[in-house]
Structures are given as structure tokens and as C-alpha cells.
Amino acid sequence: MNDIQQAFLNMLLKVQDNLEDNAAAYASHLQIAPTKVLLDAQIQNIIEAAGRATEDTTGVAQDKQEDRDALVKVMYNIAKGVYSFAIDNNNNTLAKKVKYTMSDLEKMQDTQLHFEALRLNTYLTPAIVAALPGYNVSAADIANLPIFTAAYFDAIPEVKDAIEGKTIGGNDVDRGIAESRKLLEKLDNYVDSYRTNAATVALWEEYQLARAIDNPTGGGGGGGGSEVVFSGTVPPMSSEVKGPVVYNAATPVALQNNSPVTLGFQLQMSGISSGMIVNVPPMSTQNTTLGAMGANGNEIRIGNSDMAQSAAYTITLG
């Protein structure tokens, strides 16, 4: 997985842990537990797919190369003997067909080498086989030619299959992440029901911390601290709130609008606006600071005023 995928998986694991640790508290919302079961399955799918995507396939390539080297060696030895036999018996046609250098064999494409090996085997008539030991061709080489040819034919697609397996694994990671995003949107809405109650607001805050994507490799301002990333999708004519935000006026903020409609971002303090709305045009990013957004705040509201189009966004702090 790349760094972005790994960071997203780390966030999923934090959410999973939050839901497990607070299962009793969340029991009052009947949709959270079954949605967590679906999220658990997607997390497992992502982990398994990531294993396939990052599997070391160098051994497959090495095995194929060993099969190729063995076949080339046998072909070279036999072709040299057949060539000498043909020259001694004035069979120029046969001599031309088996006149290979080691370089010729090594440069052949996979399928061409396999074809040439099959063709060389057809030249081994009983009379030639009987004569080859006199040209320093071993019986083992003659016996191994069809065996090594078949082994190499089986090895040809293995490297391609291994590479394709890694690619499919990477695609499965992307699919698992996409399905997880849908489940997270549901969970975000479910957990929001705990936000306005003084007895459960801490539960909501803890969930928000779990939902933040931490990027330990991130730079940015604030003395080299870690980045915190919030992302999501706002339905038409709706808004959502992300947090908690640790306020520092100097903290850089990147407001990224990943949708074809304008989005409004506003710093808030526990639901009360503390700054002006920052409107970010479609498919663009507005760079600012928390201080420029407002005098104080512990959350950011994202508003979508479009009547039909959902809007995706990413907020990066740090």
C-alpha cells in the first residue's frame, strides 16, 4: 500500500477500536453495531488485499530464470552436436536449422525459445540420437530436453500471473477503501446523535479523534508537528462538522474541494461560528491558517449549498 492508503487503514483501525471499546455506550443506537460488523469485514479485506499487493514475487522470476537457463544449456549442447553431425553428413539444411550461438538462445523471447526447443526435439531421430554421444552430447541432455521444455513452458506465465496478482490486490485495496468510506459516512451520522447531549459529547469527541487521519510523515508548520486530515462527503443542501481541532493560530490549513460544486468551510467553537465562511471553488484548494479562519475554534463546519450534487472534501491541518 502507498502512504495514503496506509494512513486511511490506520484510521479505520482506530475507529474499529473506538467502536469496540465503547460498544456498551453505543448500544443505545441500534444501527452502530451491525454497521461495525460490515466495517470489520472491509478492514479484513483491505489487510488481506494489501498482503497480496505487496507480496514478494522475485522468487517466481528467479524460478523462471533457472528453468530458462537449464533449457538454454541443454539446447546449446544438443544443437552443437546435431550441427556437427549434420556437417559431417553433408546435411546443410539440418545444419542451418540448428546453428545457434549461446547469445542467440539467451536473446530469444520466451515463446520463441520454447518453440525452438520443441523444434530441436523433432530433429532427434533415432539415428542422430545414437550418434550424439560421439559428439560429446550426454544421454542426460537428450532425455532432459523435453522435460526442461515442458517445465519452461509452465514457468512462462508465472511471472505475469504474479504481477497481475499484485495489481489486483492493489485494486482490491482501493475497492475496500471505497466501501469503507460509505460505511464511515453512516457511522459519522450515527455517532453525531451523541454530540448534543452533555452526558455523551465526550463519546462523540473521542470518535472524532479516531476519525482523524494522522500522517506522521507530514511536514507543514507548527514546528514540524504531524498533519491531521479530515475527509468526507457532504450531501446536497447539507453540512457536517469535523473535529476536534486543536487551535493554534499559526497552524496551516489546506481546504481541498474535490467536487464540482463550491464548498464553504467555517471554523466553529462547539457549534458557534467563530469566523467567516471560506468558500472554495470546485476542484480547487484554498491554503490558509486557523488564525485567518477565526479567533478560536475546536471544529470546522463544511457546508454544501448545491441542491443536487454531493461534495467530497479533504481538510489538512499542519
Side-chain angles (χ1 to χ4, degrees), residues 70-300:
L71 178 60
V72 166
K73 180 180 177 181
V74 166
M75 288 178 65
Y76 180 78
N77 292 340
I78 293 175
K80 280 297 181 182
V82 174
Y83 176 80
S84 296
F85 173 86
I87 292 297
D88 289 348
N89 288 274
N90 299 314
N91 188 340
N92 293 322
T93 300
L94 178 59
K96 186 172 183 60
K97 290 179 179 178
V98 296
K99 189 177 182 180
Y100 304 130
T101 66
M102 182 66 79
S103 179
D104 290 336
L105 295 172
E106 290 174 344
K107 291 179 180 178
M108 286 182 183
Q109 297 292 327
D110 291 339
T111 53
Q112 182 186 3
L113 181 66
H114 177 252
F115 171 76
E116 293 295 341
L118 290 173
R119 190 169 70 163
L120 178 60
N121 196 57
T122 65
Y123 302 148
L124 300 182
T125 64
I128 292 178
V129 170
L132 284 180
Y135 291 92
N136 199 32
V137 178
S138 70
D141 281 350
I142 297 172
N144 284 332
L145 177 60
I147 297 172
F148 290 175
T149 301
Y152 183 61
F153 179 75
D154 290 340
I156 289 174
E158 292 298 325
V159 175
K160 181 174 179 291
D161 290 346
I163 294 173
E164 289 176 348
K166 293 181 69 171
T167 300
I168 293 172
N171 292 340
D172 286 341
V173 169
D174 291 334
R175 282 187 280 268
I177 287 177
E179 290 301 314
S180 297
R181 289 186 190 279
K182 296 176 184 178
L183 295 172
L184 287 174
E185 289 179 18
K186 291 184 177 182
L187 287 168
D188 289 349
N189 289 327
Y190 298 158
V191 178
D192 273 349
S193 66
Y194 295 92
R195 181 185 174 197
T196 57
N197 188 327
T200 59
V201 66
L203 184 65
W204 174 82
E205 291 176 344
E206 185 179 341
Y207 176 83
Q208 298 304 313
L209 288 172
R211 278 288 279 118
I213 300 178
D214 300 325
N215 179 10
T217 62
S226 299
E227 288 181 354
V228 176
V229 180
F230 300 109
S231 63
T233 302
V234 186
M237 300 297 294
S238 301
S239 66
E240 66 180 32
V241 175
K242 290 296 182 180
V245 171
V246 178
Y247 187 85
N248 182 327
T251 299
V253 182
L255 305 172
Q256 183 176 349
N257 183 354
N258 305 316
S259 64
V261 301
T262 297
L263 278 176
F265 298 83
Q266 187 175 34
L267 189 63
Q268 298 185 161
M269 175 59 76
S270 301
I272 300 174
S273 63
S274 59
M276 301 294 291
I277 295 175
V278 180
N279 289 312
V280 181
M283 306 306 293
S284 63
T285 299
Q286 177 73 40
N287 292 308
T288 182
T289 64
L290 286 178
M293 291 184 70
N296 203 350
N298 60 2
E299 59 193 20
I300 297 176

